[in-house]
Amino acid sequence: EAGGLTDYLSWKTRGWCRFERMARVLSQGDTSMLVVSHSDTIYQVGAQDYLLDPVGWGAFSHEEDRDSLAPKVERMLIRRLEYLFHAGQEREYK
């Protein structure tokens, strides 16, 4: 990684960034994300974007990272489903 600035479209092509976004979406808190595009422009990004950009299809600097994330993604999904089930949120659980 170059470590420079990036825009949202570039950011969401990266596998680790996709993983970060998915973790945010599956969290129990507010899932919205704010993007700063210019020094005076901030906008909100919908959480549903993660459905269109799978973690495993993202770009990785180290190819082995792709495989290492699969069990982590699975664990996050299971935890989210367990939370929804125990919270009685049947509609969201399904």
Side-chain angles (χ1 to χ4, degrees):
E1 302 286 329
L5 295 176
T6 184
D7 63 8
Y8 180 66
L9 294 177
S10 173
W11 177 85
K12 71 181 201 156
T13 65
R14 300 174 181 180
W16 279 104
C17 296
R18 290 177 178 202
F19 180 75
E20 177 184 343
R21 183 178 53 194
M22 186 175 200
R24 176 78 178 171
V25 167
L26 296 175
S27 71
Q28 296 175 19
D30 182 11
T31 62
S32 60
M33 292 174 44
L34 299 177
V35 175
V36 178
S37 61
H38 296 92
S39 62
D40 62 347
T41 307
I42 299 174
Y43 60 95
Q44 186 172 358
V45 176
Q48 71 281 0
D49 272 3
Y50 88 99
L51 294 169
L52 304 174
D53 304 314
V55 173
W57 291 4
F60 290 91
S61 298
H62 304 282
E63 195 57 35
E64 62 271 10
D65 288 351
R66 184 183 318 276
D67 293 333
S68 74
L69 286 180
K72 293 172 180 60
V73 167
E74 182 178 13
R75 235 180 354 260
M76 284 193 311
L77 288 168
I78 289 169
R79 284 186 178 170
R80 178 64 178 176
L81 288 172
E82 288 172 346
Y83 166 76
L84 293 171
F85 179 79
H86 293 297
Q89 296 182 21
E90 185 176 330
R91 193 181 109 222
E92 290 85 356
Y93 177 80
K94 290 180 179 182

